[in-house]
Amino acid sequence: MARIEITDLRKEFGDFTAVRESSFTIEDGEFFMLLGPSGCGKTTTLRMIAGLELPTSGTIAIDGEDVSQRPATERDIAFVFQMFALYPHMNVRKNITYPLVSQGWDKARVKAKLDEVATILGIHDILDRPVGGLSGGDRQRVALGRAIVREPKAFMMDEPLGALDAEFRERMAEELRALHDRMGATTVYVTHDQLEAMQMGDKIVVMNNAVVEQFGTPREIYDTPATMFVADFIGDPSMNFLPFDGTVAKRATSVDLAGRAVAIPAAREGAEGRLVLGARPEHISLTDDGPLRGRVVATEYLGTSQVVTLETDFGEVKVRTGADRRAAAGETAALAIDGKRVTLFDESSGRALRSELNEGVV
Ligand code: ATP
């Protein structure tokens, strides 16, 4: 078990900075996601937690002990690089017990431990099979078995499902999460897939360009994005951005969007200049009357809902409606924005303005 506290972590490679002053805490037993686009510094952060890379500055504390400058071998963390990295010439039993045998465990202890791990993973029936002939799923279970058998304090996983096709990926994601819930070991998991992060994670750190943009539960990240980057990266379709020049007074409950009043959650800070009103597609509905109008340019039917794209004075807006709503291309409709769910951003900083919606988060 491990609580991992990251404070002002920084990594430079020559004059390139891969991770900049990152701070977040991974609570004991959490399934924790490091999420962000390619090159944002996720893997470098994970490798620093595991001790495979030493930080340039900042600290990593495991259960209150500063391990920042200690090598990987002294951190008791299992790094699951690639689920399929197994010894092909050995059978399943040998693949799993190899770390124990090489540590000099006696036979009876090895057997008892193998039995326990095989039960957790449900792989008793394949223990004597060579790994070469196993299905992808079984191979992945064996690779996990080899990590679990050591009883590390925490698991680090770098895009473990990256190479799998969509359907199998979803099944393995569920299995991994269920396994974690049974074992309760702290797990840090790198992904660039926002849906995977939302579905699997207890907490998510969203990174971009070497910095932590936001850190929170999937619900906090989705409902109250701290920046325009997070609002755009999380959700599919992503949040609509309606830019406007305007003023928001402290405690205001509406903004003037080019002559049209739109309700907002009560503002906790004022701002003026170039602002952006952010609204998720499911928080906008199509109505017959209203000052904010758009012309339908596309409809994407998804069975249980549909996504209607409209052209407005503020650019393209996507609305998620019930599947029964008819919306023909060329039709004009009024847009009703749910004023309780709106996030306002300062366009130049990209930062969300504080409001009753996100107070305490930003
Ligand atoms: P990806 O999903 O593409 O792996 P990532 O978010 O995991 O992306 P990192 O692998 O952490 O990103 O890399 C962050 C940046 O640091 C990249 O620009 C990468 O080229 C650079 N980088 C990583 N390792 C090194 C290294 N050893 N030397 C120099 N630059 C490095």
Side-chain angles (χ1 to χ4, degrees):
M1 299 300 246
R3 178 176 191 270
I4 304 170
E5 208 174 345
I6 312 283
T7 313
D8 292 335
L9 197 64
R10 182 183 178 90
K11 181 67 185 177
E12 294 168 6
F13 294 109
D15 48 16
F16 178 78
T17 306
V19 176
R20 247 174 238 280
E21 278 62 43
S22 297
S23 300
F24 52 89
T25 300
I26 303 164
E27 297 297 342
D28 186 23
E30 265 179 355
F31 201 104
F32 193 95
M33 315 301 279
L34 290 177
L35 172 70
S38 181
C40 70
K42 311 178 291 290
T43 297
T44 305
T45 303
L46 193 75
R47 288 174 61 81
M48 285 193 280
I49 299 172
L52 299 171
E53 206 79 70
L54 293 180
T56 305
S57 57
T59 57
I60 300 161
I62 301 182
D63 292 332
E65 204 176 322
D66 185 351
V67 298
S68 318
Q69 299 301 320
R70 292 217 198 128
T73 46
E74 290 176 24
R75 295 195 193 183
D76 198 12
I77 286 176
F79 201 106
V80 184
F81 285 96
Q82 247 290 348
M83 290 288 180
F84 298 103
L86 297 168
Y87 304 119
H89 56 285
M90 293 184 191
N91 65 17
V92 171
R93 181 189 306 275
K94 286 199 172 128
N95 261 283
I96 293 178
T97 56
Y98 184 79
L100 307 181
V101 174
S102 57
Q103 277 173 32
W105 283 36
D106 68 53
K107 268 195 180 159
R109 230 175 121 210
V110 170
K111 188 172 175 305
K113 190 71 210 171
L114 174 67
D115 199 42
E116 185 190 322
V117 169
T119 303
I120 290 173
L121 295 168
I123 53 168
H124 272 292
D125 55 329
I126 59 165
L127 287 179
D128 293 314
R129 302 248 309 265
V131 295
L134 297 179
S135 69
D138 280 342
R139 263 194 264 181
Q140 191 171 32
R141 288 181 196 100
V142 177
L144 269 174
R146 203 170 64 196
I148 293 169
V149 83
R150 283 176 40 206
E151 293 184 22
K153 277 191 178 161
F155 294 97
M156 304 289 121
M157 301 187 182
D158 194 353
E159 305 249 8
L161 309 179
L164 306 177
D165 64 54
E167 193 189 340
F168 189 51
R169 195 183 162 107
E170 212 167 291
R171 195 143 58 80
M172 287 318 286
E174 275 172 26
E175 223 174 277
L176 258 186
R177 179 68 227 211
L179 178 69
H180 169 269
D181 292 346
R182 251 177 290 150
M183 300 198 355
T186 309
T187 302
V188 189
Y189 186 110
V190 162
T191 182
H192 64 272
D193 182 337
Q194 54 99 16
L195 199 56
E196 192 169 273
M198 294 284 286
Q199 287 170 340
M200 294 177 83
D202 294 315
K203 295 259 182 67
I204 303 175
V205 150
V206 185
M207 291 186 73
N208 181 37
N209 275 334
V211 301
V212 169
E213 294 265 339
Q214 192 170 0
F215 156 47
T217 63
R219 191 176 283 276
E220 284 164 353
I221 302 256
Y222 187 84
D223 287 348
T224 53
T227 65
M228 287 177 74
F229 174 83
V230 173
D232 187 49
F233 194 72
I234 306 276
D236 183 23
S238 46
M239 187 179 263
N240 293 293
F241 293 138
L242 286 69
F244 65 104
D245 290 311
T247 304
V248 191
K250 215 170 163 183
R251 286 188 282 281
T253 52
S254 71
V255 286
D256 179 7
L257 212 67
R260 288 155 279 207
V262 175
I264 56 165
R268 297 286 195 240
E269 71 182 311
E272 64 176 307
R274 192 69 174 162
L275 304 175
V276 176
L277 184 134
R280 295 225 174 258
E282 65 273 28
H283 299 149
I284 307 178
S285 50
L286 297 182
T287 61
D288 296 330
D289 278 326
L292 187 63
R293 300 190 72 81
R295 193 173 62 83
V296 175
V297 290
T299 303
E300 194 186 347
Y301 178 72
L302 300 168
T304 53
S305 69
Q306 61 186 338
V307 175
V308 181
T309 307
L310 300 104
E311 255 171 25
T312 75
D313 292 347
F314 302 92
E316 203 172 76
V317 171
K318 288 187 187 289
V319 177
R320 192 183 288 278
T321 69
D324 294 339
R325 174 71 162 81
R326 298 269 166 210
E331 179 192 322
T332 61
L335 287 82
I337 300 176
D338 180 351
K340 289 194 183 63
R341 310 301 298 265
V342 161
T343 306
L344 280 182
F345 300 94
D346 175 284
E347 193 181 66
S348 60
S349 68
R351 202 177 58 77
L353 301 177
R354 280 196 301 122
S355 73
E356 67 182 8
L357 180 70
N358 62 17
E359 201 170 37
V361 173
V362 181

